[in-house]
Amino acid sequence: MMRGDQAYATPREGRLPRRTGRTVAALAAVVACAALAAGCGIRSTSVPVDAGAAPSRMPCRTTSAQATAPPSEGAAVRIYLVCASQLVTVERTVGVDESRSDPLLIAQALLSELQRNPDADERRAGFSTDVPAGLRVADAREGDPQGTLRLSEQPDDLPAEALAQVVCSYAESESLGSGGSVLLGGPGNYTPRGYLCTSETKTRLGEVPTLGAVKLS
């Protein structure tokens, strides 16, 4: 056989071309991986799987919330702060008694607590507040329905989280709320509206349902 013919000679029996050997090895590896996955109970899928949002690591619970002893000074009240993208109650101590104080004083005390920066314990638990520091609350005007509170900003102009905090903190106050709602107005001549605190209000901070405009008496 001439040297030129050797280059095109058929490989000897029992030997595979180098490229074919690599292909066989790769296929064997794929088969082995598939068998291993089947043995572990893993089912293949051709579509992406939505496992949902990652769970929050924020406990949303302060160590002081576990204490059962009443505060030594002032009265205990509950306000709503933001934690893990929802509203969660926090207990604070104020210098007014909800059962005996004027409703406006109670509203001012609750608003001050909503505006106060969370303490170190609350921050570690993941709490924050979105209520503007410059927000003020005043009594009803002449002609307003009984129980109306007037804010220094139009309620609907507040950030959604801030409005939800104010509405739920007021609506669940024995002195300010009624049936899970509170009457709020702004600085202008707009008619007060009833704002509801519901389970959706606490979990969907962008949605604060209203009862609509309340007729002036």
Side-chain angles (χ1 to χ4, degrees):
M1 182 183 297
M2 297 180 64
R3 182 175 300 176
D5 296 335
Q6 263 184 328
Y8 298 98
T10 303
R12 293 181 181 178
E13 186 177 355
R15 293 183 59 185
L16 293 174
R18 185 174 300 174
R19 182 173 299 175
T20 304
R22 291 177 179 175
T23 303
V24 172
L27 289 175
V30 171
V31 173
C33 290
L36 181 60
C40 295
I42 300 174
R43 300 180 63 182
S44 61
T45 177
S46 58
V47 296
V49 177
D50 183 7
S56 171
R57 295 184 179 181
M58 295 299 183
C60 295
R61 183 177 177 83
T62 62
T63 55
S64 59
Q66 301 172 2
T68 56
S72 56
E73 296 180 3
V77 295
R78 290 185 180 274
I79 61 169
Y80 278 92
L81 298 182
V82 179
C83 186
S85 300
Q86 60 186 345
L87 294 187
V88 182
T89 55
V90 168
E91 189 172 285
R92 294 276 180 83
T93 303
V94 297
V96 295
D97 188 339
E98 282 198 271
S99 61
R100 293 179 293 181
S101 298
D102 181 79
L104 179 59
L105 294 178
I106 297 170
Q108 291 171 339
L110 293 179
L111 181 59
S112 295
E113 292 302 315
L114 288 170
Q115 293 167 326
R116 182 162 66 85
N117 289 328
D119 59 29
D121 190 20
E122 292 168 343
R123 288 195 302 272
R124 282 192 296 269
F127 288 99
S128 64
T129 183
D130 291 289
V131 179
L135 187 65
R136 298 291 179 265
V137 60
D139 213 342
R141 297 176 182 174
E142 184 179 355
D144 282 348
Q146 185 177 2
T148 297
L149 294 169
R150 289 275 181 174
L151 301 178
S152 58
E153 293 185 35
Q154 196 65 25
D156 292 338
D157 291 339
L158 293 171
E161 294 83 358
L163 180 58
Q165 285 183 255
V166 172
V167 167
C168 285
S169 296
Y170 283 175
E172 296 191 358
S173 166
E174 295 180 2
S175 303
L176 306 178
S178 175
S181 67
V182 62
L183 294 175
L184 295 178
N189 294 322
Y190 297 102
T191 303
R193 303 175 70 182
Y195 290 84
L196 290 168
C197 178
T198 65
S199 57
E200 287 78 14
T201 309
K202 300 172 185 177
T203 56
R204 300 178 183 176
L205 301 188
E207 301 178 13
V208 181
T210 67
L211 297 172
V214 180
K215 265 190 180 180
L216 297 178
S217 57

